[in-house]
Amino acid sequence: MPRIVVSGVPTTASRHIAVLDGMRALAIIGVIGYHTRPSLLPGGFLGVTLFFVVSGFLLTRSMVNLLERLRFSYPHFLRGRVRRLWPSVLATIAGTAILVYCMAPSLLPKVRGDALPSALFYSNWSFIFRKLSYFQSAGLPSPLTHLWFTSLIMQFYVLWPLLFVLIFQLCRSRVARAAVIGALAVASSLEMLLLYTPGQDTSRIYYGLDTRAAELLVGAALAVLMHRHVGRQDDEFAHDPPHWQFFSRTVHVHGRELRVTGQQLVNALGFALLVVFCVCFAIVDPQSAWLYRSGYLLFALLAAAMIWAGMHSGVFMRAMGAKVCSYIGSRSFSLYLVHYPLLIVLNPATRATPLPWWGYLGQFALILAVGEVFFQLIEAMRGTPWLPWLTRAGDNAEPARETAGERLGRRLTASGNAGVRMLGTAGTRFATLTARLRPGAVVGIVAGALAVLVLMLPLNWQAIAHARAVQLRPELALTAEQARKQLAKPAPAPSPQPEQPKGTDAAQSKGADTAQPQVSALKVPNNLDPSRWQCDAAAQQCSVRMLMIGDSVTAGVAQTLQQHFPQAHIDGAVSRQFATGEDLLAQFLGSGEDPQVIVFALGTNGAATREQAEHVVQLAAGRPLYFVTALAPVDWTAASNATFQEVAAAHPNVGIIDWSALATAHPEYLYDDGTHPNELGTQAYEQQLYNALCPRD
């Protein structure tokens, strides 16, 4: 992430380490792949662990060198970290607010809620207290969610120097210091293990500094162990190479002699670890329990081993320091800041089909271009070369000169007016703090501060966001009557009919023979008898005694459904799980309720298993039962819908209302979260349910 450079101090702490560029590049590729919707790299979130280890390593390495020279100043050290992070974070907040208002206004209230916590570096704890999950932020996640990382890093920057100074003074040897740091890492990992409860939200342990500190501390311990005394060049161990470098053995493979050296083994270790991370990016499940049972600590140790292998001269070090790795690694922080808001906007939840391969390449190219602009304007300090392998600023830095802001502040300070002097003093301090920043970074600070202040104003931000959303999507302003008229313009088309096993739609097959009016659904229960209730097609009124159990989608359309199905019992609740719906169905039926039809509309908030669906069929006790297919921008809805169809094929009294197919074909039916129907979608939902219960004329 942000580079740690102690300017003006000719120490090894400012010496470039090529392997870290490769690790940053690997990490940001994983993170971007994970955040792409749908996720291209399900385990790409492990890139954050790489960033943590690198950050802990660099921060501690810098402090060790300063402490040895008795030049460590906590205020000066902290000021440097703030100067590195704050301009970029504030500029990200400002840019995201503008981007969201222009292109995805439904996200504006979420930006407002996270702007101040992100600007003041406590957003990770804000997410914890609000119980906002990192892994279940489907639909409309906040475009500033990713700034939890910068908040946690700044908290570490504030606290770790104070603790490390104490460790440095009390422990005189590298081994003792590393042992203490290692013990702290184990304690952090143990706390994560104890706080983890299977099936419960993991926000507390994923976002918390105390539980994620292990990964940072592993990097810190490595920095202490690899430290060489003042004046020693430690990047390639040019002095006093370790004993393993003299290792050499001859092995026989299929009659041929091969010489194996210590350097070759270290290079092989580095490449093996690189492969491990690449494979894990592709296969690791973020919900896996073992991650919270020392899994993150294990990956941190592997990352530390990769740094160790890459700090010894050899082919692995050269590969990780290649120009493409050096470039991407040097821009990794800028890419991290800009990629998430861009991906959220470029991949709206209402998009039901994945992009073609060239679409993803176009998005990645855009992220790279925006990241480069952000780096040059905001993140890079004065004197930073255009490309990382060109001459560095430290090699030919110009003497510090008084900036225009400092001159203005000095003149105001000399004024006889006390208020003007105070203004001049504050201006001088601000100018001094931002002296090494590029003009774009100063503009970013001001713009970010103004954005936070504006977003904190007590305005009706929901109304502002809705007004802008209506400009982009006029269908969001339709009333119920207007929506019904719009749906009535074209003849309603039946839902797409996927290929089904023979005999799965007995009612429809029978209708083809008898020429009797039939209801319309993907599959109709064979014992559904519309003659038992009255249907008024003109008013879309149906007197069926229906029991409908669902989640927030059902809750959103419940009022409209109740108007058209006055005898129905409709129960919907936000975030309702499938198992909760099973319990409710058993409770309602056990209390004496005897519905003519049961409609089960769950599966949005969690995957439905075959056993659960079979249990619902068992509870229905032979009554006509409809499963409503779920639609949400999450991975499990497709599996749940497939389960519903399998169960329906096995039970004649079970049917399918395919809301997922209808809404997928008509994204204009949904709000921007890709899950909940707007007014147009609500009327379409009601019509689909009516058609599944009442015969067509």
Side-chain angles (χ1 to χ4, degrees):
M1 299 310 285
R3 293 172 178 270
I4 299 177
V5 178
V6 185
S7 299
V9 182
T11 71
T12 56
S14 61
R15 193 180 303 279
H16 184 64
I17 303 176
V19 67
L20 300 185
D21 284 337
M23 294 186 65
R24 287 192 186 100
L26 177 65
I28 193 60
I29 290 171
V31 170
I32 293 176
Y34 174 75
H35 284 151
T36 303
R37 300 201 296 186
S39 180
L40 299 179
L41 294 174
F45 66 96
L46 293 173
V48 173
T49 295
L50 290 174
F51 281 136
F52 279 150
V53 175
V54 169
S55 297
F57 175 80
L58 286 174
L59 182 73
T60 307
R61 189 169 183 264
S62 177
M63 286 193 297
V64 169
N65 283 280
L66 290 173
L67 287 167
E68 280 196 344
R69 292 171 174 78
L70 302 179
R71 298 185 60 177
F72 179 78
S73 168
Y74 179 71
H76 178 76
F77 193 82
L78 192 58
R79 186 163 59 245
R81 307 289 78 75
V82 171
R83 186 164 51 221
R84 280 288 178 181
L85 287 181
W86 215 12
S88 297
V89 169
L90 288 175
T92 300
I93 294 171
T96 300
I98 296 172
L99 176 69
V100 162
Y101 177 78
C102 293
M103 301 185 66
S106 298
L107 295 168
L108 190 60
K110 297 203 172 187
V111 174
R112 179 179 185 261
D114 295 334
L116 184 63
S118 298
L120 298 182
F121 300 109
Y122 68 90
S123 65
N124 58 326
W125 293 104
S126 174
F127 294 148
I128 289 173
F129 296 142
R130 291 150 60 193
K131 297 183 179 180
L132 299 180
S133 174
Y134 180 74
F135 298 110
Q136 297 178 359
S137 54
L140 290 177
S142 169
L144 299 179
T145 299
H146 65 313
L147 294 186
W148 75 271
F149 175 87
T150 57
S151 295
L152 190 147
I153 284 291
M154 178 54 75
Q155 294 159 21
F156 183 74
Y157 287 170
V158 171
L159 298 175
W160 177 237
L162 300 174
L163 182 57
F164 182 72
V165 168
L166 181 63
I167 296 173
F168 189 87
Q169 295 298 328
L170 295 178
C171 303
R172 292 301 179 182
S173 70
R174 287 185 300 162
V175 175
R177 293 167 183 167
V180 173
I181 297 172
L184 293 175
V186 171
S188 173
S189 183
L190 182 61
E191 181 188 9
M192 174 181 283
L193 185 151
L194 294 175
L195 291 178
Y196 175 72
T197 302
Q200 299 296 319
D201 180 57
T202 58
S203 300
R204 168 63 184 87
I205 49 182
Y206 188 82
Y207 288 129
L209 171 61
D210 52 342
T211 49
R212 299 304 298 270
E215 296 147 85
L216 291 153
L217 293 172
V218 166
L222 179 67
V224 170
L225 286 174
M226 297 195 69
H227 176 68
R228 295 295 186 267
H229 294 296
V230 178
R232 305 291 293 276
Q233 183 181 9
D234 61 344
D235 286 347
E236 298 183 13
F237 291 84
H239 301 278
D240 299 335
H243 293 296
W244 61 260
Q245 286 195 354
F246 300 103
F247 174 83
S248 179
R249 291 288 187 275
T250 300
V251 296
H252 298 273
V253 180
H254 299 296
R256 300 178 58 185
E257 290 188 354
L258 296 177
R259 181 166 294 277
V260 178
T261 65
Q263 187 179 54
Q264 290 173 341
L265 292 176
V266 171
N267 287 328
L269 172 65
F271 282 113
L273 292 171
L274 180 62
V275 170
V276 167
F277 272 99
C278 290
V279 171
C280 289
F281 281 0
I283 66 173
V284 171
D285 181 358
Q287 304 289 354
S288 299
W290 64 271
L291 286 171
Y292 303 96
R293 295 167 176 165
S294 302
Y296 283 112
L297 178 61
L298 171 62
F299 281 113
L301 293 172
L302 295 178
M306 189 185 298
I307 295 176
W308 177 84
M311 288 187 68
H312 299 89
S313 60
V315 63
F316 179 68
M317 184 186 74
R318 292 193 295 272
M320 295 295 280
K323 286 188 176 181
V324 63
C325 295
S326 180
Y327 174 76
I328 297 176
S330 66
R331 271 62 173 170
S332 60
F333 187 48
S334 292
L335 292 172
Y336 182 87
L337 292 177
V338 305
H339 86 281
Y340 193 69
L342 287 174
L343 287 176
I344 293 296
V345 171
L346 293 173
N347 298 290
T350 51
R351 180 190 293 146
T353 56
L355 286 174
W357 63 267
W358 50 264
Y360 288 116
L361 289 181
Q363 290 188 3
F364 297 154
L366 177 63
I367 291 171
L368 193 63
V370 175
E372 175 64 25
V373 172
F374 190 93
F375 176 82
Q376 297 295 346
L377 295 181
I378 308 295
E379 183 192 353
M381 297 292 180
R382 293 180 184 269
T384 301
W386 283 96
L387 293 173
W389 52 82
L390 299 179
T391 304
R392 295 184 174 275
D395 298 334
N396 56 357
E398 298 179 2
R401 295 179 297 178
E402 187 180 43
T403 65
E406 289 173 323
R407 286 196 300 271
L408 177 61
R410 180 168 47 79
R411 292 171 183 172
L412 292 177
T413 304
S415 171
N417 186 287
V420 174
R421 285 200 306 272
M422 291 178 60
L423 180 62
T425 301
T428 300
R429 291 179 178 176
F430 179 77
T432 301
L433 181 64
T434 60
R436 294 188 57 227
L437 302 180
R438 290 185 173 179
V442 179
V443 173
I445 293 174
V446 176
L450 288 176
V452 172
L453 290 175
V454 170
L455 290 170
M456 292 302 295
L457 294 176
L459 304 176
N460 189 343
W461 290 99
Q462 290 287 354
I464 295 172
H466 181 71
R468 174 58 184 165
V470 168
Q471 292 178 347
L472 300 178
R473 298 181 58 194
E475 69 269 16
L476 295 178
L478 294 177
T479 64
E481 183 178 356
Q482 292 171 333
R484 285 193 294 270
K485 288 181 179 178
Q486 183 163 324
L487 290 172
K489 287 179 182 177
S495 302
Q497 302 287 331
E499 188 174 334
Q500 303 177 56
K502 274 189 174 182
T504 58
D505 199 345
Q508 289 182 343
S509 300
K510 180 180 177 182
D513 298 333
T514 62
Q516 294 296 321
Q518 294 297 316
V519 298
S520 174
L522 180 60
K523 180 180 182 293
V524 179
N526 69 340
N527 58 347
L528 187 77
D529 185 6
S531 64
R532 299 173 61 194
W533 49 83
Q534 296 179 347
C535 297
D536 183 348
Q540 292 271 299
Q541 291 279 338
C542 179
S543 64
V544 63
R545 292 197 317 275
M546 175 179 66
L547 172 60
M548 184 174 185
I549 297 175
D551 47 32
S552 58
V553 174
T554 302
V557 300
Q559 184 175 358
T560 298
L561 294 182
Q562 203 71 65
Q563 294 173 359
H564 294 273
F565 301 91
Q567 303 300 318
H569 179 183
I570 301 171
D571 191 300
V574 176
S575 300
R576 177 173 286 167
Q577 299 292 320
F578 201 91
T580 305
E582 295 176 68
D583 296 337
L584 282 174
L585 179 59
Q587 176 184 334
F588 291 145
L589 297 179
S591 64
E593 191 165 344
D594 185 21
Q596 295 169 313
V597 178
I598 298 172
V599 178
F600 212 77
L602 287 168
T604 300
N605 300 300
T609 66
R610 178 68 183 262
E611 292 74 15
Q612 289 176 317
E614 290 284 358
H615 186 221
V616 172
V617 175
Q618 181 183 358
L619 291 172
R623 296 180 181 88
L625 167 67
Y626 272 120
F627 284 113
V628 180
T629 57
L631 178 65
V634 290
D635 298 333
W636 58 75
T637 54
S640 296
N641 295 340
T643 297
F644 297 154
Q645 295 194 39
E646 291 173 4
V647 172
H651 299 277
N653 69 307
V654 179
I656 300 291
I657 298 175
D658 202 355
W659 165 247
S660 175
L662 180 63
T664 297
H666 296 277
E668 70 274 13
Y669 289 174
L670 302 173
Y671 283 113
D672 289 344
D673 62 3
T675 301
H676 298 91
N678 52 37
E679 190 58 55
L680 185 63
T682 297
Q683 298 302 322
Y685 193 103
E686 180 276 323
Q687 286 186 11
Q688 189 180 39
L689 184 57
Y690 180 89
N691 292 335
L693 295 171
C694 292
R696 298 189 298 270
D697 292 334

